[in-house]
Amino acid sequence: MNKKKLVFSGVQPTGNLHLGNYLGALRNFVSLQKEMECIYCVVDLHAITTFQDPSQLTNNVLETVASFLATGLNPEKSIIFNQSSVSAHTELAWILNCVSRIGWLNRMTQFKDKAGGEKEKASVGLYIYPNLMAADILLYKATHVPVGADQKQHLELSRDIAQKFNKDFKCKDFFPLPEPLIPKNVSRIMSLRDGTKKMSKSEESDYSRINLKDSADEISKKIKKAKSDSDTIPDNFKKLEDKPEALNLITIYSEVSKKDINKVMIEMSGKEYSFLKTKLAEILISEITPVGKEIRKLLEDKTHLRRILKKGKEKASIIAEENLKNIREKVGLL
Ligand code: TYM
C-alpha cells in the first residue's frame, strides 16, 4: 500500500482568481507545501469543457501560475504544471471513463448547475469532467486534496472510482482513497451580491467578487456596495443564519483578520454594518492588493512563467509515467 502522503489540487484557468479561490484553496496550498510533497496543476483541459477563447486561454494559464506564485507557492518545493502538458491525464481519464458509472455522473450537481436547462447542448466533456478530475488525482496516487466545499462531491466520486478500480482489477489498496481537505470556516465564500450563491468567476457582476487583481479602490467600492443588513450587528453569528450576506461578510472578516468569529461578534455587536465594512475593506486591501501587484509583476516575464511550467511538467511526468505504466498493466493493456 502506498503510505506516502501526497497532495494534489487543480485550479481552472478561466480568468480572474478571486477571494473564494484564495480562502477556499490557495491559502491551504501554501501551508501544505511546508509539510508534504505537493503537486498543483493548472487544469486547462477542464477549462475547455466550456468554450475558451484560445489566445485568452494561454494568457489565463500563465496568469494562474502567476497567482500561484504570488500567493506563496514555491516551484522549488511544489510541482507546478499545466494539465495538458502531461498526456497521461487524458489516457488515465479514458480508462476511468470505463470504470466510472453513468448513474454516478448523473448525480453530479455541478454539471446540473453549469449545464442549466441546456443539458442537451452541453459538451460531453462537461459531463465527464469529474472522471478527468479523478484521473488528475489518481494518476499521482494523491492522498490529500485541498479544495473548497463545491468540489466535495467530485472528491467522493474520485474515491468511488478508486475503490471500484481496486476491486475490479483485484489490486486492493492500489489507488489510495483521496481525502478532501476542506477549510472549516471558509469552505464556501459567497457572492457579495447574493449570499445564497457561491462567489464565482462566472457570475456576471464583477461586484459579486473580490478579484486577486483588484485595486484598493475597487475593493473599497465592492465592499461598500456589498449586500448586508439594515439591523445592527448581533452578538452571536448564529443569529445571522437567515442573513447569508451579513454572515458572509463576518466570516470573511474573521478569516482574513485571523480572529475567532465569536471574538469578532463581540467586537462588532451593536454596530452598523458600515463599521464592519470599513474594517473589512482595510484588511482586504492589505492582504489582497500586494498579491495583485505581484501577479502583475510576474506577468511581465512570461518566459519565466513558461519555464516554471516546463520544469513542473518534467517532474510531474516522471511520477505520472511510472504510475500509468503500472495502471496499464493492471488493466491488461499491452
Ligand atoms: P475551480 O477552478 O473552480 O476552483 C479552484 C479552487 O477554488 C475553490 N473555490 C472556492 N472555495 C471557497 N469559496 C468559493 N466561493 C470558491 N470558489 C472556488 C474550489 O473549490 C477549488 O478548490 N474541478 C476543480 C479543479 C480541479 C481539481 C482537480 C481540484 C480539476 N482537477 C483535482 C482538485 C483536484 C475546479 O473547477 O476548481
Side-chain angles (χ1 to χ4, degrees):
M1 182 170 174
N2 178 11
K3 289 220 173 95
K4 200 173 104 188
K5 286 186 183 170
L6 195 144
V7 170
F8 182 97
S9 198
V11 175
Q12 290 196 57
T14 40
N16 272 338
L17 294 188
H18 52 71
L19 189 66
N21 300 124
Y22 178 65
L23 296 178
L26 291 175
R27 251 186 10 172
N28 235 356
F29 292 3
V30 176
S31 57
L32 285 164
Q33 82 177 348
K34 293 181 196 132
E35 313 157 20
M36 292 190 218
E37 193 178 337
C38 298
I39 305 179
Y40 296 120
C41 184
V42 182
V43 290
D44 46 8
L45 295 173
H46 277 96
I48 61 168
T49 56
T50 55
F51 183 77
Q52 303 295 319
D53 179 299
S55 64
Q56 255 179 31
L57 178 62
T58 309
N59 279 330
N60 285 343
V61 169
L62 296 176
E63 189 168 317
T64 308
V65 181
S67 307
F68 280 2
L69 303 180
T71 48
L73 287 186
N74 177 350
E76 300 300 322
K77 281 194 184 152
S78 300
I79 298 179
I80 296 172
F81 75 108
N82 63 310
Q83 188 184 28
S84 65
S85 69
V86 177
S87 57
H89 285 251
T90 41
E91 190 171 341
L92 179 57
W94 181 258
I95 294 174
L96 299 185
N97 281 340
C98 303
V99 175
S100 182
R101 304 288 93 181
I102 290 176
W104 298 354
L105 288 182
N106 282 345
R107 285 197 284 274
M108 295 295 117
T109 54
Q110 188 161 301
F111 174 74
K112 290 178 196 158
D113 290 346
K114 285 204 174 168
E118 305 255 34
K119 238 161 70 182
E120 299 287 317
K121 288 191 187 152
S123 75
V124 176
L126 188 66
Y127 181 65
I128 57 172
Y129 172 120
N131 293 345
L132 177 59
M133 186 163 155
D136 298 336
I137 298 165
L138 300 181
L139 183 60
Y140 299 93
K141 298 194 171 186
T143 54
H144 294 82
V145 184
V147 281
D150 60 325
Q151 297 300 317
K152 188 165 179 261
Q153 196 186 31
H154 290 160
L155 252 291
E156 280 158 8
L157 180 87
S158 300
R159 290 167 66 92
D160 289 343
I161 292 175
Q163 242 165 342
K164 182 160 163 52
F165 184 100
N166 292 349
K167 186 161 163 273
D168 287 354
F169 298 102
K170 300 187 178 47
C171 48
K172 194 168 174 279
D173 299 331
F174 178 74
F175 283 130
L177 305 188
E179 291 285 341
L181 298 176
I182 299 176
K184 227 169 92 205
N185 303 323
V186 278
S187 65
R188 193 183 291 271
I189 297 294
M190 309 313 273
S191 154
L192 300 178
R193 309 297 287 159
D194 177 351
T196 63
K197 283 194 194 151
K198 70 167 186 174
M199 186 177 282
S200 117
K201 300 169 205 166
S202 55
E203 190 170 332
E204 219 174 293
S205 167
D206 202 46
Y207 275 91
S208 67
R209 61 187 161 259
I210 303 289
N211 301 308
L212 296 186
K213 280 187 359 194
D214 280 347
S215 65
D217 200 37
E218 282 166 324
I219 294 176
S220 282
K221 275 195 195 134
K222 287 179 178 180
I223 295 297
K224 218 176 251 169
K225 278 205 159 204
K227 254 191 166 178
S228 56
D229 194 39
S230 51
D231 284 348
T232 54
I233 303 175
D235 56 0
N236 190 322
F237 70 92
K238 293 203 174 105
K239 294 185 183 158
L240 293 175
E241 262 162 15
D242 57 345
K243 295 180 173 167
E245 289 89 7
L247 181 59
N248 191 38
L249 295 179
I250 294 270
T251 310
I252 297 173
Y253 180 68
S254 146
E255 196 59 26
V256 179
S257 64
K258 298 195 172 78
K259 285 184 195 162
D260 180 78
I261 192 157
N262 294 307
K263 286 204 182 121
V264 170
M265 297 312 294
I266 294 168
E267 179 188 338
M268 297 287 165
S269 172
K271 301 215 160 62
E272 305 282 335
Y273 279 90
S274 55
F275 179 80
L276 165 69
K277 284 182 171 185
T278 308
K279 291 248 174 201
L280 178 58
E282 269 170 22
I283 201 150
L284 280 174
I285 288 168
S286 73
E287 175 108 1
I288 299 297
T289 52
V291 174
K293 218 166 137 195
E294 185 64 16
I295 295 175
R296 273 179 239 280
K297 195 175 128 211
L298 286 160
L299 280 171
E300 281 168 18
D301 188 356
K302 297 212 164 101
T303 314
H304 172 63
L305 298 174
R306 283 178 189 265
R307 220 179 288 129
I308 287 175
L309 285 177
K310 186 165 173 285
K311 272 201 183 155
K313 169 216 158 134
E314 285 161 8
K315 291 189 209 160
S317 295
I318 295 171
I319 311 172
E321 289 307 325
E322 174 65 21
N323 285 342
L324 186 64
K325 187 170 139 268
N326 294 331
I327 295 163
R328 291 176 56 107
E329 262 170 33
K330 295 285 177 222
V331 178
L333 298 169
L334 276 182

